[in-house]
Amino acid sequence: MDRTGADFFAAVASMKEKLVANVVPVHCPIGAESEFKGMVDLVTMQAYIFNDETLGAEYSVEEIPANLLATCKKMRSEMLDELATIDETNEQFLTKVLESPDSLTAEEIHKAIRKGVVENALYPVICGTAFKNKGVQQILDGVVNWMPSPLDRGKIKGLNIDTHEPMEIEPSDASPFSALAFKIITDPYVGKLTFIRIYSGTLEKGTTLLNTTKGHKERISRVLRMHANNRTDLEAVFTGDIAACIGPKNTTTGDTLCSENSPLLLEKMEFPEPVISMSIEPKSKADREKLSLALSSLSIEDPTFHVKTDEETGQTIISGMGELHLEILRDRMFREFSVEANVGAPRVSYKETITIPGGAEGKFIRQSGGRGQYGHVVVEIKPCERGKGNVVESKIVGGVIPKEYIKPSIEGIVEGLSTGVLAGYNLVDVEVAIVFGSFHEVDSSEIAFKIAGSMAVKEAARKCKPIMLEPIMKVVVTSPESYMGDVIGDLNRRRGKILAQESVKTIVTITSEVPLSEMFGYSTQLRSISSGRANYTMEPSHFEPVPAKLQEELMKK
């Protein structure tokens, strides 16, 4: 409220119009801009006047200024009317609102606001200033009075590890301990910090817990309460707390930690596969080691960030969920780890597959002066359902290939599938069966059969009309109706397929499927065509065949 041009009532009106939200002011500001002194609480009908010298630490409770009394009474009446319509089943509250609103207690009003907030039917609006901390106490009181607690969630649902049956736990300190590790960070002073949200029970430092996701034990040496960069050591934490632990070595994001005598698995986090890749290399030899450390730390913190080395090119490839995701991670490398690195252009993770069944043989024969190499594998290959993955099996009978060479042959086939025949992308959604082969008593070896398996599957794939697949993203755009035409036109230009449109008052939600390769720079373009008022979410959906013209271009590259 201390910003130049601050207008509480205009902001409330704007929220109603642009966000189509049921916003209800619970405060009335006293002054604005440099004249902002405090606020009137419409629940208690008291004025809070802040002391400028203590930067918000102290305030006095006073009578409502005479010039605001009529405004505050009108706002309180509107607030109570809205609360009465949200909870029509509470006849006592409704009667008091209609007949004697002044007899309502603060506790009754807070209870009605809380019901609206928990049911997502109401958005209370309060005011203050961040610069001089005016209203911080009121924000915290609002959180305590109105926001949902663990008890609102009800019993915690999990899976019993021993019986594999669903189970429920009361969210209380007396219940067996269960918690979810929801974030891992590397702190320069204390090392690896595991943030946990406690669903039930009590955790004391020095306790040994069971990580049911990974199946091993973790010892919690210290428990910390975090206040931004400040940390406070605690002896114990309780149900509903969020804390940071020092000690767990192998726990990652999404793992369940619980007491050893009551093993359960909480609802598992599903992490989608990365869809975009960039190459990264250090600017100097001095940065090489620091880059390796930075990439290792970031991949531990973020399960959707993957790092691998391309064996063909020798490049280090980083993969993530989108352009912005990788940009932020690159920025963190420079800022937190002081790593100077060059980043290549984003690269889409295309795939390859086949369209018809077929077969081929792979023969690897090398004859030099001494012992030679001999491996011979015949495979049959066929396409399978999209998204099923690869299936490799042996149908060898009668010992035409000895048992000890079956495993290396399968390994060779899997390796062959990892680099396709069109542009070097993974071959997916194929079934491969080893049906025949031969061996040499002296010259056959595991490496020879591994190479033969790889040769056979690649030769078979070439014969089976291979095609390329591209990742398709589910894109949901939320925009004011006035920009709907421009948004849909832009999605169509990006080879998008509009699946659904849904309007709520003046806001339209457009659901579409768009190839990832067409989504680069979309956030900037969307802001441009909607004057910054539209936003979107994007998540991987499935893979579809690449258009023939685009496939030719990709193969040339």
Side-chain angles (χ1 to χ4, degrees):
M1 284 299 302
D2 58 352
R3 289 275 182 94
T4 303
D7 186 333
F8 181 82
F9 301 100
V12 170
S14 178
M15 283 185 244
K16 287 179 179 176
E17 179 202 338
K18 293 180 179 173
L19 305 179
V20 199
N22 186 20
V23 293
V24 176
V26 182
H27 281 175
C28 175
I30 302 171
E33 302 181 1
S34 60
E35 299 298 313
F36 180 69
K37 293 183 178 64
M39 67 286 296
V40 175
D41 186 336
L42 301 177
V43 175
T44 60
M45 288 300 273
Q46 291 175 318
Y48 302 129
I49 307 297
F50 284 82
N51 183 344
D52 278 330
E53 292 176 8
T54 59
L55 277 179
E58 294 176 7
Y59 64 90
S60 57
V61 180
E62 301 179 9
E63 293 291 319
I64 300 172
N67 64 325
L68 284 176
L69 191 55
T71 303
C72 290
K73 283 183 176 179
K74 181 173 180 286
M75 290 176 71
R76 177 184 163 90
S77 175
E78 289 171 353
M79 176 186 76
L80 294 176
D81 288 346
E82 191 60 50
L83 292 174
T85 58
I86 286 172
D87 190 7
E88 292 177 346
T89 57
N90 190 338
E91 290 182 13
Q92 187 182 356
F93 185 83
L94 191 59
T95 304
K96 281 190 176 183
V97 169
L98 293 172
E99 295 176 4
S100 54
D102 292 339
S103 67
L104 281 164
T105 63
E107 189 181 344
E108 287 175 313
I109 298 172
H110 283 311
K111 192 176 176 183
I113 295 173
R114 188 177 194 280
K115 181 176 172 59
V117 170
V118 169
E119 292 176 356
N120 214 23
L122 169 79
Y123 306 98
V125 183
I126 58 181
C127 63
T129 80
F131 179 53
K132 292 188 177 174
N133 304 318
K134 295 176 184 177
V136 172
Q137 297 92 333
Q138 285 69 27
I139 285 178
L140 296 176
D141 288 342
V143 169
V144 172
N145 289 328
W146 308 327
M147 302 300 273
S149 83
L151 296 175
D152 291 298
R153 182 187 174 92
K155 291 183 178 179
I156 289 97
K157 292 179 173 60
L159 191 72
N160 188 307
I161 292 298
D162 297 329
T163 62
H164 297 287
E165 290 182 0
M167 64 183 289
E168 292 184 338
I169 292 183
E170 286 285 347
S172 78
D173 295 344
S175 299
F177 180 79
S178 65
L180 190 74
F182 66 88
K183 184 175 178 64
I184 310 291
I185 66 167
T186 308
D187 189 286
Y189 301 104
V190 295
K192 185 178 166 187
L193 280 176
T194 303
F195 281 78
I196 61 169
R197 197 285 209 188
I198 300 167
Y199 284 83
S200 64
T202 305
L203 173 65
E204 296 178 355
K205 67 177 185 180
T207 306
T208 299
L209 298 175
L210 178 66
N211 181 327
T212 47
T213 310
K214 299 277 196 312
H216 56 66
K217 295 177 182 178
E218 297 277 26
R219 188 173 183 276
I220 310 298
S221 56
R222 287 170 67 191
V223 181
L224 308 172
R225 175 174 288 130
M226 304 295 289
H227 292 279
N229 292 332
N230 301 321
R231 35 189 110 60
T232 307
D233 273 277
L234 301 173
E235 292 299 316
V237 282
F238 306 93
T239 302
D241 283 351
I242 287 176
C245 301
I246 298 173
K249 290 182 171 60
N250 300 308
T251 297
T252 53
T253 304
D255 286 1
T256 299
L257 295 169
C258 63
S259 53
E260 294 179 80
N261 55 7
S262 181
L264 86 154
L265 192 65
L266 294 169
E267 189 177 358
K268 199 175 178 185
M269 292 183 181
E270 293 294 334
F271 299 111
E273 284 296 308
V275 292
I276 191 168
S277 304
M278 289 180 177
S279 63
I280 188 166
E281 58 184 29
K283 282 190 176 179
S284 66
K285 284 186 179 178
D287 285 318
R288 188 176 297 279
E289 201 169 303
K290 285 198 287 185
L291 177 66
S292 175
L293 177 67
L295 292 174
S296 171
S297 297
L298 291 171
S299 60
I300 289 170
E301 290 180 20
D302 185 352
T304 61
F305 174 61
H306 291 195
V307 182
K308 68 175 182 180
T309 302
D310 190 318
E311 292 180 6
E312 289 187 5
T313 63
Q315 286 182 308
T316 300
I317 306 295
I318 56 174
S319 307
M321 301 311 301
E323 220 173 349
L324 183 63
H325 184 198
L326 294 183
E327 284 293 327
I328 290 168
L329 289 170
R330 185 179 70 163
D331 183 56
R332 284 187 61 194
M333 281 179 227
F334 299 154
R335 197 176 63 247
E336 295 175 24
F337 298 91
S338 305
V339 177
E340 290 292 322
N342 296 319
V343 177
R347 196 180 67 174
V348 176
S349 297
Y350 291 96
K351 305 286 183 194
E352 297 181 19
T353 192
I354 57 169
T355 53
I356 59 170
E361 68 174 349
K363 260 189 182 177
F364 181 71
I365 303 171
R366 286 283 183 279
Q367 202 62 51
S368 52
R371 181 183 167 180
Q373 295 282 4
Y374 182 92
H376 175 215
V377 175
V378 179
V379 299
E380 286 181 355
I381 186 171
K382 64 178 180 179
C384 60
E385 190 182 330
R386 189 84 72 238
K388 186 180 177 183
N390 294 334
V391 179
V392 182
E393 58 184 350
S394 168
K395 291 185 178 177
I396 293 296
V397 288
V400 289
I401 299 177
K403 274 186 180 177
E404 64 265 29
Y405 298 140
I406 297 292
K407 190 182 175 189
S409 301
I410 290 174
E411 287 173 359
I413 290 168
V414 170
E415 204 172 279
L417 293 172
S418 67
T419 52
V421 294
L422 293 175
Y425 295 103
N426 294 17
L427 267 160
V428 295
D429 303 333
V430 296
E431 283 185 28
V432 186
I434 305 171
V435 293
F436 192 67
S438 60
F439 71 103
H440 191 279
E441 292 283 356
V442 178
D443 291 351
S444 283
S445 66
E446 288 188 2
I447 189 70
F449 272 92
K450 190 173 181 180
I451 294 170
S454 179
M455 290 167 64
V457 78
K458 288 199 170 187
E459 182 59 34
R462 286 190 190 96
K463 294 178 179 178
C464 296
K465 294 187 178 177
I467 59 168
M468 289 180 68
L469 302 172
E470 62 180 343
I472 304 296
M473 310 300 285
K474 181 186 177 186
V475 179
V476 180
V477 182
T478 306
S479 165
E481 274 186 346
S482 52
Y483 302 106
M484 185 174 75
D486 292 336
V487 170
I488 290 175
D490 186 60
L491 289 171
N492 287 332
R493 279 193 294 277
R494 295 171 186 272
R495 294 195 284 127
K497 189 191 299 177
I498 308 298
L499 301 180
Q501 295 175 40
E502 189 179 324
S503 290
V504 179
K505 295 185 181 176
T506 60
I507 302 295
V508 64
T509 302
I510 301 159
T511 305
S512 61
E513 289 177 349
V514 189
L516 174 63
S517 59
E518 303 289 342
M519 289 300 291
F520 295 128
Y522 183 63
S523 54
T524 308
Q525 177 66 10
L526 185 62
R527 281 197 298 270
S528 172
I529 60 179
S530 67
S531 304
R533 289 183 58 191
N535 58 64
Y536 77 102
T537 59
M538 180 171 78
E539 63 182 61
S541 174
H542 60 283
F543 281 82
E544 278 186 9
V546 174
K549 190 177 178 184
L550 181 59
Q551 181 171 309
E552 282 177 29
E553 290 174 14
L554 290 167
M555 287 169 66
K556 283 176 187 173
K557 286 181 185 176

